[in-house]
Amino acid sequence: SRRRLYYALITSWPTHKVTLIARQALDSLMDQPPIIVTETDYERIDALLEKTGDSVPGILELRAELERAHVVASDEISADVVTMNSTIAFENVDSGKRFELALVYPKDMDGSPGKVSILAPVGSALLGLAVDQMIQWQVPGGDTLKLRVLEVRDQPEARHR
């Protein structure tokens, strides 16, 4: 499968390219729920990652998420799936805290509340999940977030149908 091939490629990289933490995060990605990403989001995030380089924490994990995603046309994605520029309600399963945020590109982070960048651990974790799906996502420092999508309140693709 594509996941096994990608995992084999990553684990064969020299150790200076993939740290122990990144290897552990990639191992955990293999047990994650399936995700769906639009072609447009895939291409834009891929271009963003190319510009960003591997020095930003979480980049390798986001790259791995993109590689395991099922990619579909924008008009084929269900309205209950988190896409870029969607506003979503989600909860931290461990704490029970609920949040509502828009998933945005770094250029759209203007300091206003209610936004999370795709490059932030929470943003990377939520991309492509559907309502009621849960994901465990390792954050810098070794902690793990356990997040569940409660509702996709606003999705650009659904607005254009």
Side-chain angles (χ1 to χ4, degrees):
S1 83
R2 190 166 102 179
R3 273 195 237 177
R4 285 190 195 135
L5 175 62
Y6 186 74
Y7 185 76
L9 289 172
I10 294 294
T11 55
S12 68
W13 285 358
T15 359
H16 70 278
K17 272 296 230 187
V18 181
T19 65
L20 178 60
I21 292 171
R23 283 180 189 257
Q24 290 168 342
L26 289 169
D27 286 342
S28 73
L29 285 174
M30 297 295 108
D31 297 324
Q32 299 294 22
I35 61 171
I36 304 170
V37 176
T38 67
E39 291 171 344
T40 302
D41 287 350
Y42 183 95
E43 290 166 6
R44 288 179 181 166
I45 295 167
D46 188 51
L48 173 65
L49 293 177
E50 287 301 315
K51 289 180 194 172
T52 304
D54 292 340
S55 61
V56 175
I59 292 297
L60 291 174
E61 293 84 352
L62 180 54
R63 282 186 197 279
E65 276 292 271
L66 278 184
E67 290 304 315
R68 75 181 193 86
H70 177 67
V71 181
V72 300
S74 294
D75 61 352
E76 294 176 5
I77 197 147
S78 174
D80 70 343
V81 174
V82 178
T83 63
M84 291 304 300
N85 299 305
S86 291
T87 299
I88 52 228
F90 65 96
E91 71 176 336
N92 178 322
V93 175
D94 291 330
S95 71
K97 289 185 181 178
R98 293 180 177 219
F99 305 89
E100 182 175 329
L101 295 172
L103 180 59
V104 300
Y105 293 98
K107 68 179 181 61
D108 298 318
M109 292 297 296
D110 55 11
S112 61
K115 295 180 181 179
V116 63
S117 170
I118 185 61
L119 297 181
V122 168
S124 296
L126 292 170
L127 178 69
L129 291 178
V131 171
D132 292 327
Q133 279 188 311
M134 185 178 70
I135 192 165
Q136 293 186 47
W137 192 262
Q138 190 169 7
V139 296
D143 290 338
T144 301
L145 292 174
K146 196 181 299 181
L147 306 174
R148 179 187 330 274
V149 176
L150 302 172
E151 182 182 0
V152 177
R153 296 204 170 136
D154 182 34
Q155 182 204 67
E157 293 79 8
R159 271 187 267 139
H160 294 100
R161 289 191 190 139

